[in-house]
């Protein structure tokens, strides 16, 4: 029986790309690869970081605190970020060159003002689901291939949750970029993902594996 695979595009949005408020170094470089691999997947899902303006991860909502300070939200350490990906703003839109017409569904994350959501599946307290897990189960997906931003935050937490949910998970390294706030963060994220069985692969491996083209 053919294994059902989904491609998950994490947060490929203007605010994480060049000129954005939380620009991930070299983020724009992934767009070509992400567009090229879409032809191998029947199921393509994307997430948007989608914060209300009063979101608790924004440094501006914590007077007296500085960028990248840590606060505690619902017992979870929270890094304070610049204002980014505010709902219905240009910064929250997908990168203009990202191919969007084959998306099967889009899921929003980080909508609760009181808690952040690095993972595409659940908020950081694992209290509220984005609906992505149910959707992938409905589509009878067994394997999830992850690309996007940022390797050491939302890609990592999405991969860890996907593995915990029982999916076979692949992270396509050259179609991701990380923040690397501290040197070594990206490598550490890859090790954490590997430790739970996530395979870190390259986009060229998709051709080698005898990947069928989508029907
Ligand atoms: C992300 C920091 C804050 C991400 C989202 O998409 O990796 N990082 N919000
Ligand atoms: Zn965010």
């Amino acid at each position: 029986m053919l294994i059902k695979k989904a491609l998950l595009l994490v947060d490929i949005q203007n605010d994480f790309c060049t000129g954005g408020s939380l620009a991930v170094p070299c983020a724009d470089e992934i767009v070509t690869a992400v567009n090229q691999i879409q032809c191998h997947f029947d199921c393509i899902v994307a997430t948007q970081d989608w914060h209300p303006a009063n979101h608790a991860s924004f440094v501006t909502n914590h007077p007296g605190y500085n960028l990248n300070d840590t606060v505690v939200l619902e017992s979870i350490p929270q890094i304070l970020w610049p204002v980014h990906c505010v709902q219905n703003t240009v910064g929250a839109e997908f990168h203009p060159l990202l191919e969007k017409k084959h998306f099967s569904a889009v899921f929003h994350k980080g909508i609760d003002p009181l808690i952040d959501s690095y993972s595409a599946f659940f908020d950081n307290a694992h209290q509220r689901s984005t609906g992505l897990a149910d959707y992938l189960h409905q589509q009878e997906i067994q394997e999830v291939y992850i690309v996007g931003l940022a390797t050491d935050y939302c890609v990592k937490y999405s991969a860890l949750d996907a593995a915990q949910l029982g999916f076979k998970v692949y992270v396509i390294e050259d179609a991701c970029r990380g923040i690397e706030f501290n040197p070594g963060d990206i490598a550490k994220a890859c090790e954490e993902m590997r430790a739970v069985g996530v395979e870190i692969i390259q986009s060229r491996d998709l051709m080698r594996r005898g990947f069928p083209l989508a029907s």
Side-chain angles (χ1 to χ4, degrees), residues 19 42 45 87 110 114 116-117 131 133 149 156 167 184 191 194 197 214:
D42 285 310
V45 292
Q87 298 170 4
L114 299 177
D116 212 353
S117 184
L149 308 167
K156 177 182 91 171
F167 297 106
E191 278 320 302
R194 283 197 189 96

Side-chain angles (χ1 to χ4, degrees), residues 69-204:
D69 279 354
T70 300
V71 295
V72 175
L73 298 181
E74 322 244 324
S75 311
I76 295 160
Q78 172 68 49
I79 301 173
L80 297 180
W81 303 107
V83 173
H84 65 279
C85 298
V86 174
Q87 298 170 4
N88 303 305
T89 62
V90 173
E93 288 174 10
F94 290 115
H95 187 289
L97 298 179
L98 182 66
E99 187 62 76
K100 293 169 276 283
K101 64 173 179 281
H102 304 295
F103 290 1
S104 320
V106 173
F107 295 86
H108 288 155
K109 52 196 267 303
I111 55 179
D112 183 338
L114 299 177
I115 185 93
D116 212 353
S117 184
Y118 291 148
S119 162
F121 293 93
F122 304 102
D123 65 57
N124 290 0
H126 267 242
Q127 299 291 326
R128 205 200 284 182
S129 161
T130 59
L132 175 58
D134 286 344
Y135 181 82
L136 295 178
H137 286 135
Q138 272 160 21
Q139 304 296 313
E140 300 177 317
I141 297 295
Q142 293 150 285
E143 296 188 348
V144 179
Y145 291 74
I146 305 180
V147 299
L149 308 167
T151 318
D152 37 1
Y153 288 93
C154 293
V155 168
K156 177 182 91 171
Y157 286 100
S158 300
L160 297 180
D161 277 347
Q164 198 177 52
L165 284 161
F167 297 106
K168 173 68 196 166
V169 184
Y170 299 86
V171 167
I172 306 172
E173 189 175 23
D174 57 310
C176 298
R177 288 293 183 276
I179 295 176
E180 191 91 339
F181 187 61
N182 299 299
D185 279 357
I186 295 173
K188 218 172 90 192
C190 289
E191 278 320 302
E192 280 178 63
M193 292 189 279
R194 283 197 189 96
V196 298
V198 174
E199 282 193 47
I200 311 288
I201 64 169
Q202 308 302 320
S203 55
R204 63 177 179 277

